[in-house]
Amino acid sequence: MAREKRCLDSTSSGDEGPAMTKPALASVIVEALKVDSLQKLCSSLEPILRKVVSEEVERALAKLGHPKLNNAKSSSSSPKRIKGHDGRNLQLKFKSKLSLPLFTGGKVEGEQGAAIHVSLIDANTGHVVTGSPESWATLDVVVLEGDFNNEDGDNWTQEEFDSHVVKEREGKRPLLTGDLQVVLKEGVGTLGELTFTDNSSWIRSRKFRLGLKVASYSCEGIRIREAKTEAFTVKDHRGELYKKHYPPVLNDEVWRLEKIGKDGSFHKKLNKAGIFTVEDFLVLVVRDSQRLRNILGSGMSNKMWDVLVEHARTCVPSGKVYVYYPDNWRILGIVFNSIHEFSGLISNGQYCAAGSLSDNHKVYVDGLVKKAYENWMHVIEYDAKSSPGSNEDDNTGCSKANVPMDLQAYPSHHQVLPSLLVPEQPPMDSGLNVGDPMAASQLPVQSQNVSMALPRLTFLRSRRKPTISCRRKRSE
């Protein structure tokens, strides 16, 4: 019996052995995720731990009175910025911010495509250094690690700066190509064409900085503190397909605007509402911004909305002009720009910009603008070669507009808005009031042989609505 019992024990233990060596798939996945999470945690803690360990080691050696460390500590406690022979505190500085994001193969530019300017300043005064050999120094453009000097402000040594310069990966092209030197002229310089050949995902911080330092053969013996930009990410050029435009143009797809991701929820909501381009977006901003907010929904915060509209507003309107006539007589024209924004009035051949109207007239015109939006199908569209305000009088904001005289026979097709001329003499007034039913009856029907000048808007100081005066010229 004992022998059989031992056999059964050995058999059962043998059956359990293989079962214990085959872990379930779920447990394998969980363990893998734990390892991955642990690796990410370690990589994020690495710089912190290094700093803590370094400080503790330095503190322990200092207590032991290590001579080398004491010398280093005394040198590090002294100012890191070495002043010039005349007491100046010379520093290089980037004057322009970079246009982000950056892509491999793309040109490094300033905001809105502007050039990137740099300068040499005296930190004691904040002024640009001129009239000295340093103001004509040659500078090297380098790439720095994104986490360089994150916590120490602007206080570093030349050795610390050089130790954070990033070189290309083994077997790769130079990380930064183009004009890698800048020559200052009276303390000011401009970066040339620069291009990144590799993305920033392979370094610890996953970000780069651009740095400037004085060339080794320039300004010897004088310490000029280096410059650095803010940290930025360089993405693969394939991501440029989703790049925002600065500034956008009217026919850009609406996702080119800030805070609108391509094929994202906001993009889909706008498309569903018939808003496909930047022009569509701006028109609704002008005409009914609250409706636009409702379309985007509660996911669009006030801050996001401000950034979005501000970016859209950098778009330059086209030369297209719309004119709305409130009645069949067309004695007064309301002028809008290409994004349906009120820009002025045309009356008696005279154009008056919106900015030149008094507060009383603006209240009156607001009603006409709303009426125009409600009857937009009756608005006449012009392809303007010159803006109605191009020849404005500096004092009045008004100018003469040679508009077509046949007021009752405008074609529905696009027309070219005529150029504007400053009038020599004001036309005579007949005292006809806008909105007066008798005014319309006193105006004869216009024929092919009779031409009528457009009425001039007479600006009154009273609270009454503006009066419109006109004169007739009989055909001979």
Side-chain angles (χ1 to χ4, degrees):
M1 288 293 294
R3 185 180 300 175
E4 290 177 3
K5 193 173 183 179
R6 283 196 298 271
C7 291
L8 288 174
D9 292 341
S10 62
T11 303
S12 61
S13 62
D15 291 339
E16 292 175 0
M20 295 297 292
T21 58
K22 293 182 180 179
L25 178 61
S27 63
V28 173
I29 295 174
V30 170
E31 290 298 326
L33 291 175
K34 287 181 179 178
V35 171
D36 182 61
S37 300
L38 184 60
Q39 288 176 346
K40 290 182 179 179
L41 178 63
C42 291
S43 62
S44 61
L45 290 176
E46 180 185 357
I48 301 174
L49 293 175
R50 283 188 176 185
K51 183 176 181 180
V52 171
V53 171
S54 176
E55 291 177 352
E56 290 299 325
V57 170
E58 288 181 3
R59 189 177 291 110
L61 292 175
K63 289 180 180 179
L64 296 174
H66 198 282
K68 184 175 182 180
L69 184 64
N70 289 336
N71 292 336
K73 187 174 181 179
S74 61
S75 63
S76 62
S77 62
S78 60
K80 293 183 180 181
R81 301 187 186 111
I82 302 175
K83 295 185 178 180
H85 62 280
D86 52 359
R88 294 177 300 170
N89 192 350
L90 304 180
Q91 302 178 7
L92 296 172
K93 192 175 186 66
F94 281 95
K95 303 295 288 184
S96 310
K97 291 186 177 180
L98 303 183
S99 176
L100 304 176
L102 293 176
F103 297 90
T104 57
K107 185 179 178 182
V108 178
E109 297 177 320
E111 289 182 325
Q112 299 185 4
I116 302 173
H117 301 292
V118 299
S119 62
L120 174 64
I121 65 169
D122 182 356
N124 295 332
T125 62
H127 297 156
V128 176
V129 177
T130 60
S132 66
E134 297 84 16
S135 63
W136 296 85
T138 301
L139 312 178
D140 290 334
V141 183
V142 297
V143 180
L144 299 170
E145 293 176 0
D147 57 0
F148 166 60
N149 203 243
N150 271 340
E151 300 178 355
D152 297 335
D154 294 335
N155 203 19
W156 64 77
T157 64
Q158 181 178 348
E159 291 74 19
E160 289 173 337
F161 183 89
D162 291 339
S163 66
H164 286 82
V165 172
V166 181
K167 298 296 184 180
E168 67 275 7
R169 286 191 277 182
E170 186 176 355
K172 295 279 189 177
R173 296 170 54 198
L175 181 57
L176 190 66
T177 61
D179 302 325
L180 300 181
Q181 283 195 327
V182 181
V183 178
L184 296 179
K185 296 180 180 179
E186 289 295 339
V188 178
T190 304
L191 267 63
E193 289 195 5
L194 296 170
T195 302
F196 280 93
T197 63
D198 200 357
N199 61 62
S200 58
S201 63
W202 55 276
I203 64 172
R204 182 176 57 198
S205 65
R206 288 167 175 71
K207 289 185 178 181
F208 291 142
R209 295 179 190 263
L210 280 184
L212 279 177
K213 66 175 186 176
V214 177
S216 57
Y217 53 84
S218 183
C219 301
E220 294 183 2
I222 299 177
R223 169 69 173 138
I224 299 177
R225 198 207 68 183
E226 301 80 7
K228 62 180 176 66
T229 65
E230 295 296 323
F232 55 84
T233 301
V234 177
K235 301 179 180 179
D236 190 81
H237 70 279
R238 288 171 291 184
E240 194 166 12
L241 297 173
Y242 301 92
K243 184 180 180 181
K244 306 298 182 182
H245 287 171
Y246 301 93
V249 294
L250 290 176
N251 61 355
D252 271 345
E253 292 186 70
V254 71
W255 60 262
R256 295 287 186 183
L257 296 176
E258 288 280 1
K259 306 304 179 183
I260 306 296
K262 186 176 182 182
D263 298 327
S265 60
F266 292 144
H267 186 202
K268 291 177 180 178
K269 289 178 180 179
L270 291 172
N271 284 176
K272 187 177 180 180
I275 303 169
F276 299 98
T277 65
V278 173
E279 183 176 10
D280 297 335
F281 182 89
L282 283 170
V283 166
L284 201 52
V285 167
V286 171
R287 295 181 58 165
D288 194 349
S289 61
Q290 186 56 50
R291 182 190 164 209
L292 186 55
R293 289 294 307 264
N294 294 338
I295 291 171
L296 292 170
S298 58
M300 174 68 66
S301 67
N302 291 336
K303 186 175 181 180
M304 293 171 65
W305 168 259
D306 292 341
V307 172
L308 170 60
V309 173
E310 183 180 0
H311 184 208
R313 285 287 190 179
T314 61
C315 178
V316 180
S318 67
K320 191 184 298 182
V321 175
Y322 299 94
V323 181
Y324 173 72
Y325 297 96
D327 51 43
N328 293 333
W329 291 102
R330 299 185 180 180
I331 56 180
L332 181 68
I334 313 299
V335 183
F336 301 88
N337 64 11
S338 60
I339 60 172
H340 302 189
E341 199 167 31
F342 171 65
S343 58
L345 301 174
I346 293 179
S347 175
N348 197 32
Q350 193 174 48
Y351 175 79
C352 295
S356 67
L357 300 177
S358 67
D359 292 339
N360 289 338
H361 290 113
K362 287 178 181 178
V363 173
Y364 171 68
V365 168
D366 283 345
L368 297 178
V369 170
K370 292 178 181 178
K371 185 178 179 182
Y373 289 156
E374 294 170 358
N375 299 275
W376 197 258
M377 70 289 295
H378 301 304
V379 168
I380 299 173
E381 179 180 341
Y382 295 91
D383 290 327
K385 291 184 177 179
S386 60
S387 171
S390 58
N391 292 321
E392 289 183 3
D393 187 286
D394 291 337
N395 297 324
T396 65
C398 301
S399 56
K400 190 67 174 293
N402 294 327
V403 296
M405 291 295 103
D406 189 2
L407 301 179
Q408 296 180 350
Y410 280 107
S412 58
H413 305 292
H414 294 186
Q415 301 182 34
V416 175
L417 193 66
S419 59
L420 307 173
L421 302 174
V422 178
E424 296 179 359
Q425 295 180 350
M428 297 177 60
D429 297 339
S430 64
L432 296 180
N433 294 333
V434 176
D436 187 352
M438 296 300 297
S441 63
Q442 295 178 34
L443 294 174
V445 178
Q446 185 181 3
S447 66
Q448 297 292 333
N449 298 324
V450 179
S451 63
M452 181 184 295
L454 281 171
R456 178 172 62 86
L457 184 64
T458 303
F459 298 135
L460 301 179
R461 295 184 180 274
S462 66
R463 294 185 178 181
R464 295 172 54 194
K465 292 182 179 180
T467 61
I468 299 293
S469 62
C470 62
R471 61 176 180 173
R472 266 193 315 150
K473 184 170 66 176
R474 299 182 180 275
S475 60
E476 297 180 356

